[in-house]
């Protein structure tokens, strides 16, 4: 009997065929392109009437800021929002995907989505990809069972907490939360605490910066406060401005006429139809 | 059996950017005041600029421990020169000394990216730019450090210094007036701190001219 291998088309997901080749290339000094990460500070806390999520707005590509005002608080359902840290493409893709799944589920059940549903869908997906989908999320929302706040790690583990922080600025933000958090905060106290925690990340962590985004979710509805605080305006603008030459400098003008290759035959037949 | 790799590096990068611009009778040297390591800030108020002689100032970015050691070394050598020659070192002389000092440690370099600025013997502005092992060149302007890739293209566009290889030899110094050059430096640092995470907090601007050495500060983004 021949040992034939049937070529099965890939069903989807990651193909690890090129791993050996990549390792060999890396040894020779050819490195793969880097991903854009949101070196980030994201936070969430539970207050009296619901949950409040917060995030900074800087996206980095290594040491360079590639987006000074990006949105890290993603929509999942009318009553559920999710902050994302890690690889920007991964957080966008995974939250968009689960958001659609939740919508279909709402049509199917005829009920408002629950936070634990979003949680399970996200953690199952991330575990399935064994941590290769580099998305660290803070999921928060209010449903019929009450307010919920969860953290989800890239490998698929989750925690349920009264206050949470993720991203490169998580230590700076958690320092603020651990000092000042208490149960039963009012809406304004909660927003102020979240803003303070994000600011701590913005000023003390180099991977986070620019503005503060806040999202307040209660039983009544949600309030997305985009750029709630903008503590980093541009420091100096020259009053006179700068002039730039309108076009590239002309260094040399050289015209070479091309010889015509067309032969003109007089009195030929007109083209047939 | 692969060779055992080092699991400790003697170097670290403390980030930051430096700029120097030479004018007809002045020289502007500027550097931000942020010192960082990894994603953390060590201090917001660290001076990367050092006065080496009466008319000669150096700004260095890179590994600040090596920078500090280099500055001490140069200061000591300058003192010896003053004892032997009864005068201060000129900027071109200091430039050569710095190059030799850096190359001396060719096989365990000072992780220090320097720009040297000052007035030459005729009182004209001069800027010298270095790499980590002492290769140097006299130029009209220069930028080093983490923000240099963002700053240099803009300076190239605005100052357009001619190549020193062209004949007849053209003047590298900018025709800009001192106030305009300082304005340019402020704009350049404000822009660099928008996009480079290692540049920010404050910019220290030092101006060397016939009257002496003057220092001023400007606030930058702190995030």
């Amino acid at each position: 009997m021949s040992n034939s291998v049937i070529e099965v088309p890939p069903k989807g997901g990651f193909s690890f065929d090129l791993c050996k080749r990549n390792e060999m290339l890396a040894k020779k000094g050819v490195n793969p392109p880097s991903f854009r990460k949101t070196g980030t500070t994201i936070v969430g806390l539970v207050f009296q009437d619901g949950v409040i999520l917060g995030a900074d707005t800087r996206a980095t590509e290594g040491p360079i800021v590639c987006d000074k005002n990006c949105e890290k608080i993603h929509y999942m359902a009318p009553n559920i929002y999710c902050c994302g840290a890690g690889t920007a493409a991964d957080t966008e893709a995974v939250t968009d995907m689960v958001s659609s799944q939740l919508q279909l589920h709402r049509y199917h059940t005829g009920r408002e989505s629950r936070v634990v549903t979003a949680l399970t869908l996200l953690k199952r997906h991330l575990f399935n990809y064994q941590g290769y989908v580099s998305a660290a999320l803070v999921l928060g929302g209010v449903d019929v069972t009450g307010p919920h706040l969860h953290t989800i790690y890239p490998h698929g583990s989750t925690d349920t907490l009264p206050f949470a922080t993720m991203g490169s600025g998580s230590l700076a933000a958690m320092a603020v939360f651990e000092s000042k958090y208490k149960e039963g905060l009012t809406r304004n106290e909660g927003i102020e605490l979240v803003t303070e925690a994000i600011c701590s990340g913005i000023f003390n962590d180099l991977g986070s910066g620019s503005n503060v985004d806040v999202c307040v979710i209660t039983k009544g509805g949600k309030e997305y406060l985009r750029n709630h605080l903008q503590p980093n305006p541009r420091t100096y603008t020259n009053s006179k401005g700068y002039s730039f030459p309108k076009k590239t400098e002309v260094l040399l003008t050289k015209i070479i006429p091309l010889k015509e290759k067309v032969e003109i035959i007089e009195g030929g037949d007109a083209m047939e139809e | 059996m692969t060779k055992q790799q080092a699991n400790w590096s003697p170097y670290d990068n403390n980030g930051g950017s430096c700029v120097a611009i030479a004018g007809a009778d002045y020289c502007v040297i500027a550097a931000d005041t942020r010192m960082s390591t990894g994603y953390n800030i060590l201090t917001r108020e660290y001076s990367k600029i050092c006065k080496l002689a009466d008319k000669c100032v150096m700004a260095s970015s890179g590994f600040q421990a090596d920078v500090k050691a280099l500055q001490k070394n140069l200061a000591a050598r300058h003192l010896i020169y003053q004892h032997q020659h009864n005068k201060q070192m000129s900027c071109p002389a200091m430039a050569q000394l710095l190059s030799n000092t850096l190359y001396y440690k060719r096989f365990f370099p000072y992780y220090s990216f320097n720009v040297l600025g000052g007035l030459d013997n005729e009182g004209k502005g001069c800027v010298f730019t270095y790499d980590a092992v002492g290769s140097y060149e006299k130029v009209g302007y220069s930028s080093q450090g983490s923000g240099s890739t963002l700053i240099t293209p803009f300076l190239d566009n605005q100052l357009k210094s001619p190549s020193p290889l062209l004949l007849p030899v053209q003047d590298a110094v900018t025709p800009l007036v001192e106030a305009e050059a300082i304005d340019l430096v402020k704009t350049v640092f404000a822009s660099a701190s928008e996009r480079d995470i290692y540049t920010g907090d404050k910019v220290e601007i030092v101006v060397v001219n016939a009257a002496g050495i003057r220092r001023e500060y400007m606030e930058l983004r702190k995030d």
Side-chain angles (χ1 to χ4, degrees):
Chain A
M1 297 292 270
S2 58
N3 277 4
S4 57
V5 177
I6 305 164
E7 285 289 339
V8 182
K11 270 192 262 187
F14 291 107
S15 158
F16 292 99
D17 299 337
L18 292 174
C19 281
K20 273 199 157 223
R21 177 206 81 148
N22 290 344
E23 254 178 66
M24 188 267 295
L25 283 173
K27 269 202 204 93
K28 298 206 171 158
V30 178
N31 289 316
S34 63
F35 322 127
R36 188 223 274 191
K37 307 194 80 178
T38 53
T40 295
T41 310
I42 49 174
V43 303
L45 60 69
V46 175
F47 74 111
Q48 206 168 293
D49 309 318
V51 299
I52 307 179
L53 300 174
D56 75 304
T57 61
R58 171 183 283 183
T60 53
E61 234 160 19
I64 302 292
V65 176
C66 56
D67 192 343
K68 292 189 276 190
N69 204 190
C70 69
E71 284 187 34
K72 298 185 191 181
I73 305 185
H74 309 284
Y75 168 88
M76 296 287 264
N79 58 324
I80 308 173
Y81 273 76
C82 185
C83 307
T87 306
D90 286 337
T91 57
E92 281 287 340
V94 92
T95 47
D96 278 353
M97 187 194 75
V98 171
S99 174
S100 326
Q101 288 179 349
L102 285 176
Q103 172 86 303
L104 289 169
H105 193 250
R106 275 201 294 286
Y107 286 136
H108 190 75
T109 57
R111 290 184 171 85
E112 187 189 60
S113 296
R114 300 190 185 188
V115 182
V116 285
T117 318
L119 180 71
T120 309
L121 289 168
L122 285 164
K123 71 149 75 176
R124 289 244 172 95
H125 182 85
L126 292 174
F127 181 79
N128 208 7
Y129 285 90
Q130 288 293 294
Y132 283 98
V133 175
S134 177
L137 312 166
V138 170
L139 177 71
V142 179
D143 56 31
V144 284
T145 39
H148 297 273
L149 179 69
H150 304 280
T151 50
I152 310 167
Y153 290 83
H155 284 265
S157 64
T158 59
D159 286 313
T160 307
L161 298 162
F163 56 94
T165 66
M166 295 284 256
S168 58
S170 62
L171 270 66
M174 188 52 99
V176 172
F177 272 175
E178 286 288 10
S179 318
K180 298 187 177 178
Y181 180 82
K182 56 184 205 292
E183 283 183 14
L185 289 163
T186 64
R187 181 180 174 278
N188 288 336
E189 284 176 338
I191 293 179
E192 212 186 293
L193 184 58
V194 159
T195 310
E196 226 184 301
I198 297 288
C199 279
S200 171
I202 284 175
F203 291 113
N204 299 112
D205 174 42
L206 296 175
S208 315
S210 296
N211 317 122
V212 182
D213 282 353
V214 175
C215 186
V216 185
I217 311 170
T218 56
K219 202 168 66 168
K222 57 123 196 317
E223 231 185 295
Y224 185 53
L225 305 167
R226 168 77 170 146
N227 287 1
H228 173 67
L229 192 69
Q230 292 180 305
N232 289 297
R234 191 187 162 86
T235 41
Y236 184 77
T237 332
N238 188 334
S239 47
K240 277 173 287 167
Y242 289 95
S243 63
F244 300 94
K246 288 237 160 45
K247 51 185 182 183
T248 30
E249 294 173 40
V250 176
L251 296 174
L252 169 69
T253 312
K254 189 173 170 186
I255 303 171
I256 306 168
L258 299 169
K259 271 200 295 209
E260 281 197 7
K261 289 194 102 175
V262 177
E263 282 175 28
I264 302 167
I265 309 164
E266 292 291 329
D269 293 331
M271 274 197 336
E272 289 175 14
E273 274 182 35
Chain B
M1 176 93 153
T2 47
K3 188 171 165 183
Q4 192 186 23
Q5 298 280 15
N7 41 19
W8 171 82
S9 167
Y11 297 114
D12 187 16
N13 190 348
N14 298 121
S17 317
C18 316
V19 166
I21 302 178
D25 61 348
Y26 67 90
C27 187
V28 180
I29 301 102
D32 71 320
T33 60
R34 172 177 284 177
M35 185 156 133
S36 51
T37 172
Y39 273 133
N40 302 312
I41 297 178
L42 292 170
T43 177
R44 297 189 194 273
E45 287 165 46
Y46 190 80
S47 174
K48 297 188 186 59
I49 302 182
C50 176
K51 179 183 142 181
L52 296 174
D54 253 358
K55 302 283 176 183
C56 187
V57 172
M58 177 176 81
S60 319
S61 84
F63 182 35
Q64 292 302 323
D66 272 358
V67 167
K68 194 54 101 182
L70 179 64
Q71 287 169 353
K72 283 178 97 173
N73 194 325
L74 292 172
R77 291 298 309 275
H78 185 227
L79 194 57
I80 295 170
Y81 181 96
Q82 285 179 298
H83 288 150
Q84 290 173 344
H85 297 86
N86 198 21
K87 65 172 181 175
Q88 295 265 331
M89 269 178 100
S90 67
C91 200
M94 186 57 88
Q96 185 69 57
L97 176 63
L98 174 55
S99 170
N100 292 342
T101 311
L102 290 170
Y103 198 77
Y104 195 69
K105 278 180 43 86
R106 171 66 179 81
F107 298 108
F108 183 12
Y110 287 108
Y111 192 140
S112 165
F113 299 98
N114 313 295
V115 286
L116 193 77
L119 303 177
D120 63 13
N121 290 317
E122 291 143 31
K124 218 165 68 163
C126 59
V127 168
F128 298 89
T129 186
Y130 294 79
D131 72 354
V133 284
S135 157
Y136 80 114
E137 191 188 356
K138 180 169 188 293
V139 286
Y141 60 89
S142 167
S143 162
Q144 292 279 359
S146 59
S148 66
T149 46
L150 299 166
I151 295 171
T152 306
F154 184 65
L155 291 182
D156 282 342
N157 178 276
Q158 294 294 312
L159 299 176
K160 223 188 305 236
S161 193
S163 167
L165 302 169
L166 286 175
L167 286 170
V169 169
Q170 290 179 38
D171 219 2
V173 296
T174 172
L176 288 179
V177 133
E178 192 182 299
E180 288 176 323
I182 294 175
D183 206 54
L184 184 61
V185 161
K186 287 181 180 174
T187 307
V188 139
F189 269 95
S191 307
S193 56
E194 294 274 319
R195 291 287 177 175
D196 178 27
I197 61 178
Y198 297 117
T199 303
D201 292 330
K202 270 200 294 233
V203 58
E204 184 185 1
I205 305 173
V206 169
V207 184
V208 185
N209 53 21
I213 301 186
R214 183 180 99 240
R215 188 181 306 248
E216 68 179 88
Y217 293 91
M218 186 187 83
E219 296 290 326
L220 294 174
R221 279 174 76 126
K222 307 208 177 314
D223 64 355

